[in-house]
Amino acid sequence: MQRQEEIRRAQLELGRLAEQYRGVMADRSDTDVIEVVRGAQAVAQRFGQMQRGASNEVLALVKASVAVVSADENVDEDAALARGVTYRVVVERAAFAKPGFVDLVAESLKAGEQIRVTGDLPLRLVVADRALALLPLAPTAADSAGGALLVHPSGLLDALLHLFELVWAGANEVLPTDEGATELAADRLDDVDARILTLLLAGLTDQAIGGQLGMSLRTVQRRVSQLMDRAQVVTRFQLGHEASRRGWLGV
């Protein structure tokens, strides 16, 4: 899918730039672009400073693994939201299985935070005012105890922003319910897509589906492609598995 390919390319470019900057860290002039923050406490302090200093927008990719500051301890986020800072956050779906996490998300939504959910995220990331980014030294580590990179305006920051926007565009929106819980609004199929998916998984060809629903072959193929893009899969077999996992088959 086009968006998945764009994300893959952005990750490759991000990796290339990260290696480039790590390779020149011995040059003191490069500290104007990137700093290394050592230790969990120092990382937590920087994280708080970024939020306290933000005047416009905070972007974040939140992995399911525990960070140096948990969601319920992040008082700086509450203060930033209260003074009008926009938060756009993408959360890994696995995080919603943690006890109490859904309630925390509901509270954040009520405070004005925009939250979306996706599968596996490539890294943990926070960006303040599109001018300063914080990410772990080892993106696959379970925590940030080993330190983090603080990235100033540069090609690396541009790549991080591009990656965030691609992930954001492909993630599902989270909205509060009347009961204060959350639901994946984007995971609700409209009637047409639900019928197409049902017929597709029943083994009908695109041509037969079009005949059943009074659509052209091209329209059916376009809508199936959109469903695959939305599910972030590359094959129709994967679409069936993901549809079952997301509960689309019960729509």
Side-chain angles (χ1 to χ4, degrees):
M1 310 303 291
Q2 182 177 357
R3 183 176 293 129
Q4 289 178 315
E5 178 63 18
E6 289 176 344
I7 292 176
R8 187 188 69 82
R9 289 178 180 175
Q11 287 181 253
L12 289 174
E13 177 65 10
L14 176 60
R16 185 188 69 79
L17 287 169
E19 287 303 316
Q20 173 185 333
Y21 284 116
R22 288 190 183 104
V24 296
M25 279 304 295
D27 187 342
R28 292 182 60 86
S29 64
D30 289 299
T31 59
D32 293 336
V33 172
I34 190 168
E35 303 174 40
V36 176
V37 183
R38 300 287 185 183
Q41 183 176 357
V43 173
Q45 289 175 346
R46 284 288 193 173
F47 179 48
Q49 289 171 358
M50 288 175 65
Q51 294 182 95
R52 291 192 295 273
S55 59
N56 183 41
E57 182 182 50
V58 172
L59 312 175
L61 300 180
V62 179
K63 293 184 70 66
S65 56
V66 178
V68 291
V69 178
S70 63
D72 56 339
E73 295 174 335
N74 190 9
V75 295
D76 292 311
E77 176 182 313
D78 299 334
L81 285 166
R83 66 174 184 270
V85 176
T86 297
Y87 271 71
R88 287 197 289 146
V89 179
V90 182
V91 181
E92 277 189 339
R93 186 170 285 106
F96 282 78
K98 294 182 177 181
F101 189 81
V102 170
D103 292 336
L104 288 172
V105 169
E107 292 175 5
S108 296
L109 289 167
K110 290 178 181 178
E113 188 171 314
Q114 300 174 50
I115 301 176
R116 295 189 179 186
V117 64
T118 190
D120 295 333
L121 287 170
L123 76 169
R124 183 182 294 118
L125 173 70
V126 179
V127 183
D129 290 336
R130 308 184 79 85
L132 193 63
L134 187 71
L135 66 155
L137 274 171
T140 57
D143 56 47
S144 300
L149 297 178
L150 191 66
V151 183
H152 296 267
S154 59
L156 179 56
L157 179 59
D158 291 343
L160 289 168
L161 288 168
H162 182 56
L163 178 62
F164 174 86
E165 295 297 349
L166 287 173
V167 172
W168 175 264
N172 293 327
E173 186 178 3
V174 179
L175 295 176
T177 64
D178 293 337
E179 293 77 19
T182 58
E183 60 184 15
L184 304 184
D187 268 359
R188 290 182 173 179
L189 298 184
D190 62 32
D191 291 342
V192 174
D193 281 341
R195 293 177 68 187
I196 289 175
L197 184 59
T198 299
L199 294 173
L200 181 68
L201 297 180
L204 274 68
T205 65
D206 291 352
Q207 188 74 50
I209 293 173
Q212 288 278 347
L213 302 181
M215 296 179 178
S216 68
L217 173 62
R218 188 170 183 177
T219 297
V220 173
Q221 291 174 335
R222 175 176 56 80
R223 296 193 73 131
V224 170
S225 178
Q226 290 172 342
L227 281 170
M228 292 172 66
D229 193 25
R230 181 170 165 181
Q232 300 181 27
V233 298
V234 295
T235 69
R236 294 189 176 200
F237 177 81
Q238 291 172 333
L239 175 60
H241 174 77
E242 187 67 12
S244 177
R245 191 182 69 80
R246 294 184 182 215
W248 285 353
L249 300 180
V251 176

